Amino acid sequence: YDLRHLFTGSEGTLGIIAEATIQLTKIPQDSPVLVLGVDSFKAILNVLEAFQNNLQISAFEFFSEQALQKVLARHALQRPCDAGPNYYCLIEFEAISEQTINDAMQTFEACVESGWVIDGVMSQNQTQANNLWRLREDISESISHFTPYKNDISVTVSQMPTFIEKVDQLVAQQYPDFEIIWFGHIGDGNLHLNILKPEALSTEQFTQRCGEVSPRVFEFVEQLGGSISAEHGVGLLKKEYLHFSRSEEEIAVMKSIKTIFDPKGIMNPGKLFDA
């Protein structure tokens, strides 16, 4: 529970929202999209810092070359660069003026000169922008027929390279027949770990083996001070792992808060933790 915004993220365990007031924001201007290829995950963080220092960006996403291959295999979309780097970052910003476009191009060129970016592309119209977004947004659909094991995890941005390296090493050493598909929201530290089911394994066998992977992954999360759930909630599936993100004392406080708001235990029972 977030004591500053108690109902936010409480997964319906504290009450029912009967009314919500929504504030409108301004209509965004044209939003060009860049997709940049990088060879190391650490370089993505350098690119993030460079663009944050020079532009007001509205999105900063990443995905792996393996993720891109799965999308291109199922959709008639163009590869953003020919070099075939290990990772890609997708950046969106509002084109407030011609100077904003120039700033974006200069930052792009500076990243190339620094050796962080291998190649990239920037959309010239809305159709191109939409197609570049599809390289990221179509990943989940493109891997769905592989029966992926999905995990939604969060660590601080600075710890993301270490975390990804630890998970890749774990899977490569102990589960060499597993293929990992990475993507996520770099700007707020959200990572989506997807492991694809090998054809030789049944769904039951794959689920069992992934159940062995989860505690190891969550141990890395705990070591790096992260969260077992970034944006998709704890719910039923992750409540047994909550102790990797919250201490016994913190969980006890959460339970006492729920008791105050929901003394009869009727608000989404069984989610987050058992009463």
Side-chain angles (χ1 to χ4, degrees):
Y1 294 142
D2 184 344
L3 299 183
R4 299 164 300 175
H5 313 286
L6 199 50
F7 267 58
T8 303
S10 62
E11 302 184 31
T13 59
L14 298 181
I16 297 171
I17 297 175
E19 180 179 328
T21 301
I22 300 174
Q23 181 179 2
L24 299 180
T25 186
K26 67 181 181 67
I27 298 175
Q29 302 186 39
D30 290 340
S31 298
V33 174
L34 298 98
V35 173
L36 309 180
V38 303
D39 260 345
S40 73
F41 193 89
K42 291 181 179 179
I44 295 179
L45 304 190
N46 293 327
V47 174
L48 172 61
E49 183 178 8
F51 275 87
Q52 284 181 326
N53 289 339
N54 293 291
L55 288 171
Q56 185 68 40
I57 59 177
S58 53
F60 195 99
E61 304 277 312
F62 97 100
F63 51 94
S64 65
E65 167 66 17
Q66 291 93 329
L68 177 65
Q69 290 176 10
K70 294 297 186 287
V71 173
L72 297 180
R74 295 181 67 86
H75 300 283
L77 297 169
Q78 291 186 337
R79 175 176 282 278
C81 29
D82 297 326
N86 293 320
Y87 300 102
Y88 299 86
C89 45
L90 181 149
I91 306 161
E92 183 183 73
F93 64 95
E94 277 193 64
I96 299 172
S97 65
E98 188 65 31
Q99 184 59 46
T100 310
I101 301 292
N102 294 336
D103 291 343
M105 289 305 300
Q106 290 175 5
T107 305
F108 174 20
E109 293 168 0
C111 290
V112 173
E113 293 173 359
S114 297
W116 303 329
V117 171
I118 299 173
D119 197 2
V121 62
M122 184 166 77
S123 64
Q124 301 301 310
N125 53 55
Q126 192 58 49
T127 298
Q128 291 181 5
N130 292 341
N131 286 337
L132 289 176
W133 260 114
R134 286 190 62 191
L135 298 177
R136 160 65 181 86
E137 295 291 353
D138 286 6
I139 295 173
S140 290
E141 180 272 330
S142 297
I143 65 175
S144 60
H145 66 288
F146 289 98
T147 316
Y149 159 82
K150 295 174 173 284
N151 223 320
D152 169 54
I153 298 159
S154 178
V155 295
T156 57
V157 175
S158 62
Q159 297 285 8
M160 293 176 83
T162 300
F163 178 77
I164 286 181
E165 182 179 0
K166 282 178 174 287
V167 174
D168 282 344
Q169 288 178 352
L170 168 68
V171 173
Q173 291 171 1
Q174 300 192 20
Y175 308 92
D177 54 337
F178 285 1
E179 181 180 6
I180 294 181
I181 302 295
W182 287 106
F183 62 94
H185 321 295
I186 294 296
D188 52 9
N190 289 6
L191 290 169
H192 297 304
L193 166 63
N194 298 263
I195 300 177
L196 306 188
K197 184 182 79 65
E199 289 187 12
L201 288 182
S202 68
T203 301
E204 292 75 16
Q205 290 172 320
F206 180 61
T207 301
Q208 179 182 355
R209 293 183 66 186
C210 287
E212 299 168 357
V213 174
S214 287
R216 300 291 304 278
V217 171
F218 295 146
E219 285 175 5
F220 298 150
V221 170
E222 183 178 28
Q223 292 167 9
L224 299 174
S227 172
I228 61 165
S229 179
E231 59 181 347
H232 293 166
V234 174
L236 292 172
L237 295 180
K238 285 190 172 182
K239 67 180 182 179
E240 66 177 293
Y241 304 116
L242 186 58
H243 65 277
F244 287 104
S245 293
R246 295 291 179 264
S247 68
E248 291 184 9
E249 292 80 7
E250 288 173 316
I251 294 174
V253 170
M254 290 172 63
K255 288 182 176 180
S256 66
I257 291 173
K258 178 169 174 59
T259 299
I260 294 171
F261 278 80
D262 181 23
K264 295 183 179 181
I266 61 175
M267 299 298 178
N268 216 5
K271 304 303 190 298
L272 284 176
F273 44 72
D274 293 318

